[in-house]
Amino acid sequence: MSDKQTTHFGYKEVEKDAKAGLVAGVFHSVAARYDLMNDLMSGGIHRIWKRFTIELSGVRRGNSVLDIAGGTGDLAARFSRIVGPDGRVVLADINDSMLKVGRDKLIDGGNLGNIEYVQADAQYLPFPDDSFDCVTIAFGLRNVTDKDLALRAMLRVLKPGGRLLVLEFSKPRSELLGKAYDAYSFNVLPKMGQLVAGDSESYQYLAESIRVHPDQDTLKQMMEDAGFSRVEYHNMTGGIVALHRGVKA
């Protein structure tokens, strides 16, 4: 839809300029209960997905890592321990409510002091070229208005040989699993959101946003078109989630 002035906000068609504000409203609403809802929605499996992302990142002591749409800091906390005091982790999120929740959580958890907090738009990253050994974005790309622009920005800030990891909901491999997943997403999630977070509409949007996100092969092609090499993806939980990995040549 890059040649049009509209884009998806869930199943709705909205002006491109309006999407960021609408997404911000969703995450302002859910920030305080975000971690609890993640555990409830996934049965805690999101922790395994994130652990696999860390393992595939190849991050080592002394590395510099950018976690985009880092939210409440799950990945940043783990990267902080891996890179150590000589390393650097930047937790970036466009949403100040999510960033505050993440900062408070990590400070309370006694992080090593090697984490920086930056409010930033994934499409216009405020970092110099060739800054990071690894860039991650977990469950954030589907909320970005111009994904192609964001992928090019991520490539720019990576050092040569640096890795991008995109962890995102994707397309289930089995039709039966897909039907069960749809029933859960559209019947259970909004009700759970209403009960736990007092907000069913935001979780309705999150379910819809997953369905309009590019599938595994489409996202792989988008990463290659943006300039990444050696792009591959790994399906998890039957393809409900996929982890894409690309390298800056």
Side-chain angles (χ1 to χ4, degrees), residues 211-224:
R211 299 318 185 280
V212 296
H213 183 68
D215 66 15
Q216 288 91 326
D217 290 315
T218 304
L219 180 54
K220 180 176 184 283
Q221 186 63 55
M222 288 169 68
M223 289 174 65
E224 290 171 344

Side-chain angles (χ1 to χ4, degrees), residues 164-201:
L164 168 67
L165 289 103
V166 180
L167 179 64
E168 188 54 90
F169 291 107
S170 203
K171 186 173 176 56
R173 299 288 82 187
S174 137
E175 188 178 337
L176 189 63
L177 178 60
K179 286 180 178 174
Y181 181 47
D182 281 348
Y184 173 74
S185 298
F186 290 103
N187 296 314
V188 178
L189 282 193
K191 289 174 183 169
M192 195 185 292
Q194 184 62 46
L195 283 170
V196 177
D199 182 350
S200 62
E201 287 185 13

Side-chain angles (χ1 to χ4, degrees), residues 202-246:
S202 290
Y203 287 93
Q204 178 76 24
Y205 159 72
L206 292 174
E208 292 176 4
S209 70
I210 292 165
R211 299 318 185 280
V212 296
H213 183 68
D215 66 15
Q216 288 91 326
D217 290 315
T218 304
L219 180 54
K220 180 176 184 283
Q221 186 63 55
M222 288 169 68
M223 289 174 65
E224 290 171 344
D225 291 345
F228 286 95
S229 62
R230 290 155 49 197
V231 180
E232 58 183 6
Y233 65 80
H234 302 267
N235 285 319
M236 292 181 277
T237 318
I240 285 174
V241 164
L243 174 64
H244 285 68
R245 183 179 186 268

Side-chain angles (χ1 to χ4, degrees), residues 10-169:
Y11 288 162
K12 298 188 184 92
E13 195 94 355
V14 299
E15 295 292 323
K16 277 188 174 179
D17 293 346
K19 178 169 179 174
L22 292 167
V23 170
V26 168
F27 285 94
H28 281 307
S29 172
V30 303
R33 295 295 181 97
Y34 187 76
D35 283 340
L36 175 60
M37 280 297 294
N38 273 353
D39 280 332
L40 291 173
M41 287 188 300
S42 72
I45 298 172
H46 73 99
R47 298 176 188 278
I48 297 170
W49 300 333
K50 289 169 183 170
R51 195 174 305 132
F52 185 62
T53 303
I54 300 277
E55 288 172 4
L56 244 65
S57 71
V59 168
R60 300 186 301 276
R61 193 169 182 82
N63 277 179
S64 185
V65 180
L66 171 62
D67 184 24
I68 300 171
T72 56
D74 284 353
L75 289 178
R78 294 181 193 187
F79 281 131
S80 169
R81 292 191 289 273
I82 294 169
V83 303
D86 297 328
R88 173 193 185 208
V89 177
V90 177
L91 171 56
D93 204 293
I94 195 172
N95 188 279
D96 64 314
S97 297
M98 293 292 286
L99 204 58
K100 284 172 185 167
V101 170
R103 185 176 59 221
D104 290 348
K105 176 178 154 187
L106 292 175
I107 290 171
D108 290 345
N111 77 71
L112 298 175
N114 57 3
I115 303 179
E116 302 164 31
Y117 305 90
V118 177
Q119 188 170 356
D121 185 333
Q123 301 167 120
Y124 309 104
L125 295 171
F127 308 107
D129 296 0
D130 307 330
S131 294
F132 297 97
D133 297 288
C134 181
V135 172
T136 55
I137 179 166
F139 305 114
L141 187 61
R142 72 181 188 280
N143 297 311
V144 175
T145 303
D146 191 331
K147 296 172 182 60
D148 296 311
L149 184 62
L151 289 169
R152 290 195 299 273
M154 294 174 207
L155 183 76
R156 179 185 65 77
V157 302
L158 274 170
K159 298 175 184 177
R163 289 86 56 203
L164 168 67
L165 289 103
V166 180
L167 179 64
E168 188 54 90
F169 291 107

